[in-house]
Amino acid sequence: MIRKVLGLVPAEFSRLIPRLFAAIIAFSLSQAVAYLLLVPVLQALFDNDLGLAWIWVLVMAATVAVMAIFGYLQASVGLRIAVGMQRGLQTRIGDHLNALPLGWFETHGAGPLSRIAVENIREIQGTIAYLLAKVLNGIVVPIAVAVGMLFIEWRVALIMLISAPVLFGVNWVANRSYASSDESVHEAAAEADSRVVEFAQAQPVLRAFGAVGSGNRALERALHQQRAANKRMVFIAVPGLIVFSLVVQALFLLLAYAVVSRFTGGGISPAAAIALIAVSARFIEPLNQTAQVSNGLRSAAAAVDRVTGLLEEPVLPEATGAVTPSASGVEFDAVTFGYQPESPVLSNLTFTVPAGTTTAIVGPSGAGKTTLLRLAARYYDVDSGRVIVGGHGVREQPTETLLNQLSLVFQNVYLFDRSVAENITIGRPEATEAEFDRAVAAARVDEIAARLPDGVDSPVGEGGSALSGGERQRVSIARALLKDAPIVLLDEATSSLDPHSEAVVVRGVHELTKSKTVMVVAHRLTTIAHADQILFLDGGRIVERGTHTELLAMDGRYADFWNERSRATGWHLASATAPA
């Protein structure tokens, strides 16, 4: 486990590791020597040889001073490595998350990630700053005391040398189930964290459906599971500590018995007997201390495995060579893809979106429409075939180059807990004031700013909670407008908006898509009708393609879809007149 922890130390701090080990071992050896010096000090005092006693006291004082120096060095070097490890690990995790497929985040919640990046790294820090010294001290001091005791009273030393590995074995057996228990606690805590965040973010929905307090079954269940996991850990850890403590006390009694037997048999003096009992107590203390931190070590080992597991999540291969986009078209060439390899969502899909044209993608739910947009933005790599954006395969161009060509407006708009202005400029902070104003006006965000206390400098709340759904869409469109990328991926989300918000958003979309290459998952008939080509997707395949007029003339799947949507838009509630 220690090797795994040290493997996570950043390269610039790894040179300090030998210095840390040297300081810990020197501290432990000087501590053992200080314990052993009790024997000659007490012997000299009992012999009433004050001169010799003072000499041994001075030697002991010098040893304690050396111990203090190395204790300070081990603490300062350990803390320095621990702080550097925190910064280095969190940076590594951040860089690794940036390299993971965007789709990875759709199946991994914020709760587990936050625990790994904060709690687990703190546990690993503690291993370097605190636990490592305790563990080595608990090993080196007893061994050094036992070896030194060979020159004072070999019988007592023999008991020490035999008992130390037995104690470590008892501790291991008593706590062997701790790791699985700790994993259960971590999973339960991560689930509880996610549910608490959800509880805070979804208050309007929860209150509307009476799912607050005891009515929130998901939160109640998560908290109950967390309490149960903590109880199980206590039931596992405490018996182990009790058993180990009993064995330690039995060992001390055995050592004391051996010393007293030697004294009553005339083998050692009263001074030596007292000193040996004191040294035996010092021998026991580090062993007991090691047992107390062993659970912390196992918890740290689990934390190391979780951090390592996250860092080993496969990333998308990053192209190293520079690529210059030669066009603004999009092409799918015999693309097959599935979120699970055995269940393809798209099968042998081929089509082209020429530069400057709009392609609408329609079809039933689950047909793979949104997946097409995700693959164009390289949320995932395809299983076979090739996705081409800007004249180059998405795998052949650096992520930054690919995403610089794309403006994305998806159904689920996420706004950061910052101001309206900061949310709009996040993709292009260097934009001029005039460019910012044009984007704001085109998306009608100026109407939103007019009612906010600080205009565009007003915070939008976590996830944009201070704004309505339509207003969040407007901000996202302004963000995409300001980026001004040549290719627009649009997962239209206007069906749930009120007529005014819908009209504003549609105007913003039209402004966004002028002279751009557009792939749009279409829900609105007006968007479908004006597309340069329409792809009707079903079961991961294109079953019909053509313009609106051509597809209606075919009188096939698209025509049925169009007629059904047309009838739906004409639905209304007839007024009822009460009888006279």
Side-chain angles (χ1 to χ4, degrees):
M1 193 282 289
I2 297 297
R3 187 182 295 111
K4 287 183 179 180
V5 172
L6 297 179
L8 294 175
V9 175
E12 63 267 31
F13 292 96
S14 59
R15 61 182 177 81
L16 297 176
I17 293 175
R19 192 183 305 178
L20 175 62
F21 274 88
I24 293 172
I25 293 172
F27 170 79
S28 300
L29 289 175
S30 58
Q31 188 178 34
V33 171
Y35 291 161
L36 291 168
L37 285 171
L38 285 171
V39 176
V41 168
L42 289 176
Q43 185 67 59
L45 287 173
F46 269 78
D47 292 342
N48 204 26
D49 189 345
L50 295 181
L52 182 60
W54 272 112
I55 291 174
W56 284 117
V57 167
L58 290 174
V59 174
M60 181 183 286
T63 304
V64 171
V66 171
M67 185 175 71
I69 291 170
F70 283 112
Y72 171 78
L73 285 176
Q74 76 170 30
S76 60
V77 174
L79 185 60
R80 184 177 173 189
I81 295 174
V83 172
M85 174 180 274
Q86 179 190 33
R87 183 171 64 250
L89 272 181
Q90 288 179 336
T91 300
R92 279 183 66 188
I93 288 175
D95 292 342
H96 191 73
L97 291 176
N98 281 333
L100 287 173
L102 291 173
W104 183 88
F105 296 92
E106 297 180 354
T107 56
H108 293 78
L113 279 177
S114 66
R115 286 193 66 83
I116 291 174
V118 180
E119 296 296 330
N120 290 161
I121 288 180
R122 187 178 295 126
E123 289 180 83
I124 297 171
Q125 267 189 291
T127 303
I128 293 292
Y130 173 73
L131 294 181
L132 181 60
K134 293 287 185 183
V135 171
L136 291 180
N137 186 262
I139 296 172
V140 174
V141 170
I143 293 175
V145 168
V147 171
M149 191 64 72
L150 287 171
F151 300 96
I152 301 172
E153 177 53 54
W154 68 268
R155 295 170 185 82
V156 174
L158 189 61
I159 295 174
M160 290 179 175
L161 289 172
I162 293 173
S163 62
V166 172
L167 280 173
F168 286 121
V170 169
N171 183 53
W172 180 83
V173 171
N175 295 284
R176 66 184 184 275
S177 300
Y178 184 87
S180 60
S181 175
D182 179 73
E183 186 62 29
S184 297
V185 169
H186 169 78
E187 292 175 358
E191 176 66 15
D193 287 350
S194 297
R195 298 289 76 78
V196 169
V197 171
E198 183 180 73
F199 182 78
Q201 291 179 333
Q203 276 294 305
V205 175
L206 294 173
R207 294 189 188 187
F209 290 92
V212 294
S214 59
N216 192 319
R217 295 180 181 177
L219 178 59
E220 283 291 311
R221 183 168 57 250
L223 294 176
H224 173 75
Q225 290 172 347
Q226 185 180 27
R227 288 193 296 270
N230 285 325
K231 287 180 181 178
R232 284 195 300 272
M233 175 173 283
V234 170
F235 286 133
I236 288 173
V238 170
L241 290 175
I242 292 174
V243 169
F244 186 83
S245 297
L246 291 174
V247 175
V248 166
Q249 295 305 317
L251 172 60
F252 180 70
L253 291 175
L254 179 61
L255 289 170
Y257 174 78
V259 172
V260 171
S261 296
R262 288 288 292 154
F263 167 68
T264 56
I268 57 175
S269 65
I274 294 172
L276 288 175
I277 290 176
V279 172
S280 297
R282 297 299 91 192
F283 168 81
I284 292 294
E285 181 184 351
L287 292 172
N288 211 11
Q289 174 183 278
T290 301
Q292 292 173 4
V293 302
S294 62
N295 287 341
L297 279 176
R298 289 181 176 84
S299 180
V304 169
D305 290 340
R306 284 189 284 270
V307 170
T308 303
L310 175 59
L311 293 174
E312 289 176 349
E313 285 284 346
V315 300
L316 289 179
E318 182 72 10
T320 55
V323 169
T324 301
S326 57
S328 59
V330 178
E331 183 179 349
F332 278 61
D333 182 13
V335 168
T336 295
F337 170 78
Y339 297 102
Q340 301 295 330
E342 65 277 5
S343 303
V345 176
L346 303 174
S347 301
N348 198 32
L349 213 62
T350 298
F351 67 90
T352 299
V353 181
T357 67
T358 296
T359 293
I361 305 163
V362 299
S365 297
K369 305 184 294 295
T370 298
T371 299
L372 283 179
L373 303 188
R374 290 174 175 171
L375 293 178
R378 206 188 176 197
Y379 272 41
Y380 307 90
D381 272 339
V382 299
D383 297 328
S384 63
R386 194 163 176 244
V387 179
I388 302 168
V389 173
H392 301 274
V394 294
R395 292 179 175 177
E396 301 159 11
Q397 45 189 312
T399 301
E400 184 178 3
T401 302
L402 171 64
L403 295 180
N404 281 343
Q405 302 172 69
L406 304 175
S407 285
L408 297 89
V409 183
F410 283 173
Q411 291 183 22
N412 298 321
V413 177
Y414 187 86
L415 300 183
F416 298 94
D417 190 8
R418 303 176 190 172
S419 68
V420 173
E422 287 174 303
N423 272 282
I424 292 172
T425 59
I426 196 166
R428 193 182 166 200
E430 75 283 0
T432 65
E433 186 175 348
E435 291 171 330
F436 174 81
D437 290 341
R438 280 198 297 272
V440 166
R444 299 296 189 271
V445 175
D446 48 358
E447 296 179 3
I448 304 171
R451 71 166 182 81
L452 297 175
D454 297 316
V456 293
D457 294 320
S458 301
V460 300
E462 187 176 4
S465 58
L467 306 180
S468 68
E471 289 171 337
R472 288 196 292 272
Q473 275 286 12
R474 293 196 221 179
V475 173
S476 73
I477 290 171
R479 184 160 58 192
L481 281 168
L482 188 63
K483 186 178 181 182
D484 196 28
I487 300 172
V488 178
L489 305 180
L490 178 64
D491 200 349
E492 214 172 44
T494 59
S495 57
S496 61
L497 302 181
D498 61 84
H500 173 70
S501 293
E502 180 188 347
V504 170
V505 169
V506 168
R507 285 198 299 270
V509 169
H510 288 164
E511 183 70 25
L512 172 63
T513 57
K514 281 182 180 178
S515 305
K516 303 292 175 71
T517 304
V518 182
M519 286 179 64
V520 52
V521 172
H523 300 291
R524 288 298 175 182
L525 301 181
T526 51
T527 305
I528 300 171
H530 293 91
D532 297 290
Q533 73 169 332
I534 299 168
L535 308 178
F536 194 95
L537 212 63
D538 193 11
R541 299 178 182 276
I542 298 173
V543 295
E544 293 180 1
R545 73 176 76 198
T547 64
H548 171 66
T549 303
E550 291 168 347
L551 291 177
L552 285 181
M554 291 171 59
D555 197 24
R557 296 288 302 279
Y558 175 79
D560 292 341
F561 173 81
W562 175 266
N563 292 331
E564 181 181 345
R565 287 301 179 98
S566 297
R567 287 193 299 269
T569 57
W571 288 357
H572 64 279
L573 294 176
S575 59
T577 304

